[in-house]
Amino acid sequence: MQSFPPADLASHVGLVLITDELQAPADFLIHRFLNLRLKDSKRSRCLFLSVSEDIERIKSVASKSNLNISQNARFKFVDVYSHLEESEESEEPDASSRDTRLGLWRIFDLVSTELRSGQEDAKTLVILDDIATLEWLGYSVLELSRLCRALRALCLKVVGHTLSS
């Protein structure tokens, strides 16, 4: 019997953009992709870039699927918001000179380093969760779309797949 979403959806597409609303969140899709990737293949990894989701909630949902991500070396969680705050603190205090692209490109560099540090034949699923929050924080749609395109290109180059919501 076919499951939803198909297990190989991220493998065929490269970039999957999931849109949802507060009244109808699509978290189940993200957790399903995470579960499929880490359970089905011993050679795959997952890099979870979270803007607003707490690691404890991700662990809790994963544990309901018999997946222990806290002890899984193939899973890496990155709190995007904390990295963006660090980049803002290291910049000049003058708000008019603030370049929001620097923070996003630090996230891109972090992903690039992580993807290149893994096994060469391992496929990595990169999940960027809640990109809309970044827009609410003041990042332009152009900057965010450039980040998504750059992540997609990087994942295609380094044999990874991107899932963005």
Side-chain angles (χ1 to χ4, degrees):
M1 184 170 136
Q2 183 86 16
S3 65
F4 181 78
D8 58 352
L9 179 64
S11 300
H12 292 305
V13 178
L15 172 69
V16 177
L17 179 62
I18 301 170
T19 56
D20 61 359
E21 297 179 3
L22 289 175
Q23 299 85 1
D27 291 351
F28 70 95
L29 286 171
I30 292 171
H31 292 286
R32 175 79 173 139
F33 278 114
L34 174 66
N35 187 15
L36 288 171
R37 183 53 59 111
L38 293 179
K39 272 191 170 181
D40 290 348
S41 174
K42 300 293 181 202
R43 308 230 13 109
S44 62
R45 302 179 317 151
C46 181
L47 179 60
F48 198 107
L49 307 170
S50 178
V51 178
S52 60
E53 184 131 17
D54 184 32
I55 184 64
E56 295 305 319
R57 183 173 183 283
I58 296 167
K59 286 179 184 178
S60 173
V61 173
S63 69
K64 292 177 183 176
S65 299
N66 293 328
L67 184 63
N68 186 356
I69 60 173
S70 59
Q71 297 178 352
N72 194 330
R74 297 178 296 132
F75 175 80
K76 177 153 185 176
F77 178 83
V78 176
D79 184 2
V80 173
Y81 188 70
S82 67
H83 284 279
L84 294 175
E85 282 183 331
E86 287 174 14
S87 67
E88 286 180 7
E89 289 172 3
S90 64
E91 291 177 20
E92 296 178 19
D94 183 14
S96 63
S97 66
R98 181 177 154 228
D99 188 2
T100 58
R101 293 174 295 182
L102 291 177
L104 293 178
W105 290 116
R106 286 186 180 166
I107 297 300
F108 176 80
D109 290 339
L110 184 127
V111 172
S112 178
T113 302
E114 185 65 31
L115 288 178
R116 295 176 197 282
S117 69
Q119 302 167 349
E120 287 188 20
D121 58 345
K123 291 192 176 198
T124 303
L125 174 66
V126 178
I127 298 174
L128 174 57
D129 184 36
D130 205 6
I131 195 168
T133 299
L134 293 175
E135 184 181 5
W136 296 335
L137 292 173
Y139 294 92
S140 73
V141 174
L142 179 62
E143 291 170 337
L144 295 174
S145 63
R146 285 180 177 163
L147 176 66
C148 280
R149 281 195 316 251
L151 285 175
R152 181 182 185 273
L154 177 66
C155 287
L156 290 174
K157 186 176 180 180
V158 188
V159 192
H161 306 291
T162 313
L163 182 66
S164 179
S165 77

